[in-house]
């Protein structure tokens, strides 16, 4: 696990021993990073609350969790609260347009997980469950979706159309009249016609958004995901895939594409897409603070690697 705090004396010794060349290289690296495009480094374009509280906490070092009294940096990843040197009132709070359930693999290291960021920043809308203790979703499958790149996964913009099928099925399951008369056989719909129907449905429901009320994320390494995704309680849920985003996570898993996001990145990018594609509203940074801790740690670790000569 990478250490998030850096002592000024250590940095000073490294600077003196390596001479001005390394300092120049690091400055050039950071300048190039600043000049990069939004696509290459979207974190630099975020509209964030002041991170001064995190800067102060970094300088003062680890602090106690107000609940379990464990020594932590910035926040306690077991109690989901900021440490004593990070006043709760100085941490931004984000209101989400729907509820978020995070299912955490029991072997996922607490200190390495970004799921806690979501709970800290959107406490009223985020719930974290440790597998196998998860809710039953079957009766709510018409208003719940799962973020997972399965073979039948759809894009965010297609959520409304596909959830309509779940809604009709749920109504039928609860209505005894559905079984009294057979449903007339439908003619086969050609792909272009189906796409047209889908576009018409989405268009007619723009003002209503969608029936989606809860989105589920799995917090685990990709190699551990299979145990959770095959759980019977998650079967039959609409699966959503985020295909166009690239991770900035510093613990990127070897052998996996850069479109495999950390948990907090997946939550953030889903919210942005949902806001634009489903709510049909202009995005003005409403959920940027979901990356409040993530972006700070990203910059901290990038700078640490630079000064350590690892880049």
């Amino acid at each position: 696990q990478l250490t998030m705090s850096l002592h000024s004396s250590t940095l000073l010794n490294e600077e003196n021993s390596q001479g001005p060349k390394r300092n120049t290289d690091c400055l050039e690296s950071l300048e190039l990073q600043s000049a990069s495009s939004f696509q290459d480094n979207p974190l630099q374009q975020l509209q964030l609350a002041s991170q001064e509280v995190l800067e102060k906490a970094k300088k003062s070092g680890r602090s106690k969790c107000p609940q379990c009294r464990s020594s932590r940096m910035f926040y306690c990843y077991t109690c989901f609260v900021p440490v004593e040197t990070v006043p709760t009132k100085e941490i931004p709070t984000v209101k989400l347009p729907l509820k978020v359930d995070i299912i955490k693999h029991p072997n996922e290291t607490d200190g390495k997980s970004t799921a806690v960021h979501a709970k800290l920043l959107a406490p009223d809308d985020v719930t974290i469950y440790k597998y196998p203790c998860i809710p039953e979703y079957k009766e709510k499958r018409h208003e719940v979706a799962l973020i997972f790149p399965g073979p039948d996964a759809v894009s965010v913009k297609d959520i409304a159309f596909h959830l309509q099928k779940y809604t009709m099925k749920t109504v039928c399951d609860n209505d005894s009249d559905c079984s009294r008369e057979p449903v007339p056989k439908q003619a086969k719909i050609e792909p272009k016609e189906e796409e047209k129907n889908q576009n018409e449905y989405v268009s007619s429901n723009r003002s209503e958004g969608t029936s989606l009320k809860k989105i589920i994320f799995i917090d685990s390494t990709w190699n551990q995901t299979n145990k959770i995704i095959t759980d019977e309680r998650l079967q039959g849920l609409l699966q959503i895939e985020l295909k166009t985003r690239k991770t900035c996570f510093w613990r990127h898993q070897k052998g996996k594409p850069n479109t495999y996001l950390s948990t907090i990145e997946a939550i953030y990018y889903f919210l942005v897409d949902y806001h634009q594609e489903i709510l049909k509203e202009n995005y003005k940074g409403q959920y940027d603070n979901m990356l409040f801790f993530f972006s700070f740690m990203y910059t901290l670790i990038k700078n640490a690697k630079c000064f350590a000569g690892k880049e």
Side-chain angles (χ1 to χ4, degrees):
Q1 183 176 349
L2 290 171
T3 303
M4 298 301 176
S5 61
L6 299 172
H7 298 288
S8 57
S9 59
T10 303
L11 290 179
L12 184 59
N13 290 336
E14 288 182 355
E15 290 171 9
N16 292 337
S17 63
Q18 297 297 328
K21 183 179 185 302
R22 175 166 294 174
N23 292 339
T24 302
D25 291 343
C26 285
L27 288 173
E28 288 178 352
S29 174
L30 293 176
E31 287 172 359
L32 287 173
Q33 186 177 336
S34 299
S36 63
S37 66
F38 176 80
Q39 183 177 359
D40 293 334
N41 186 9
L43 300 184
Q44 295 206 343
Q45 305 296 324
L46 297 174
Q47 300 178 42
L48 298 173
S50 172
Q51 294 177 322
E52 184 179 356
V53 63
L54 300 182
E55 288 285 357
K56 291 180 179 178
K58 181 193 72 173
K59 293 178 181 178
S60 61
R62 299 168 72 88
S63 181
K64 297 287 185 182
C65 167
Q67 295 186 14
C68 70
R69 309 307 297 172
S70 297
S71 178
R72 301 280 190 256
M73 178 60 73
F74 304 130
Y75 56 81
C76 179
Y77 43 74
T78 52
C79 300
F80 309 143
V81 294
V83 295
E84 292 177 339
T85 55
V86 181
T88 303
K89 64 180 180 180
E90 295 187 41
I91 300 299
T93 300
V94 184
K95 181 60 181 174
L96 307 186
L98 35 69
K99 299 299 181 181
V100 171
D101 279 4
I102 301 174
I103 301 175
K104 187 174 178 297
H105 193 283
N107 294 336
E108 179 71 4
T109 304
D110 291 339
K112 293 182 179 181
S113 171
T114 62
V116 62
H117 297 183
K119 182 62 178 175
L120 284 162
L121 298 163
D124 295 335
D125 297 317
V126 175
T127 304
I128 298 178
Y129 298 94
K130 181 169 285 190
Y131 187 82
C133 298
I134 66 175
E136 293 284 350
Y137 294 107
K138 183 178 180 180
E139 298 301 321
K140 299 289 185 179
R141 64 183 181 274
H142 59 291
E143 57 187 34
V144 177
L146 171 67
I147 298 294
F148 188 77
D152 298 321
V154 304
S155 63
V156 173
K157 67 181 179 65
D158 296 332
I159 289 177
F161 175 75
H162 288 278
L163 275 184
Q164 181 196 28
K165 302 175 184 177
Y166 288 80
T167 302
M168 293 174 64
K169 188 176 188 308
T170 299
V171 170
C172 191
D173 287 345
N174 296 329
D175 187 353
S176 58
D177 290 339
C178 285
S179 59
R180 293 181 183 178
E181 292 186 22
V183 178
K185 201 169 185 178
Q186 295 183 348
K188 183 178 179 181
I189 300 178
E190 295 298 324
K192 288 185 178 180
E193 186 178 346
E194 183 176 2
E195 182 178 345
K196 178 183 176 182
N197 293 341
Q198 180 172 334
N199 292 335
E200 288 177 352
Y201 177 78
V202 172
S203 176
S204 66
N205 283 272
R206 283 181 179 179
S207 60
E208 301 174 13
T210 173
S211 60
L212 183 66
K213 294 182 179 179
K214 180 175 291 185
I215 190 76
I216 305 168
F217 295 83
I218 296 176
D219 184 48
S220 74
T221 62
W222 287 98
N223 292 332
Q224 296 173 335
T225 301
N226 189 61
K227 182 176 181 181
I228 296 178
I229 198 64
T230 55
D231 189 288
E232 62 179 10
R233 290 168 290 185
L234 299 180
Q235 302 310 300
L237 295 180
L238 178 65
Q239 293 185 357
I240 311 297
E241 182 174 7
L242 306 175
K243 300 178 180 179
T244 61
R245 309 294 189 173
K246 295 181 180 180
T247 185
C248 290
F249 196 32
W250 48 91
R251 293 193 183 95
H252 181 65
Q253 299 173 49
K254 293 182 180 179
K256 302 299 181 183
N258 59 6
T259 52
Y260 280 22
L261 307 172
S262 66
T263 301
I264 194 63
E265 287 177 301
I267 294 172
Y268 168 73
Y269 286 126
F270 169 80
L271 290 171
V272 173
D273 288 347
Y274 180 86
H275 193 86
Q276 296 174 320
E277 300 288 352
I278 302 300
L279 300 184
K280 298 297 179 182
E281 297 178 12
N282 292 329
Y283 184 69
K284 300 178 180 179
Q286 290 91 332
Y287 313 118
D288 282 10
N289 275 321
M290 290 299 287
L291 296 179
F292 180 76
F293 290 105
F294 184 89
S295 63
F296 184 82
M297 293 178 179
Y298 172 85
T299 302
L300 193 63
I301 292 169
K302 278 287 185 182
N303 292 348
K305 286 182 176 181
C306 180
F307 282 112
K310 293 180 180 179
E311 290 191 348

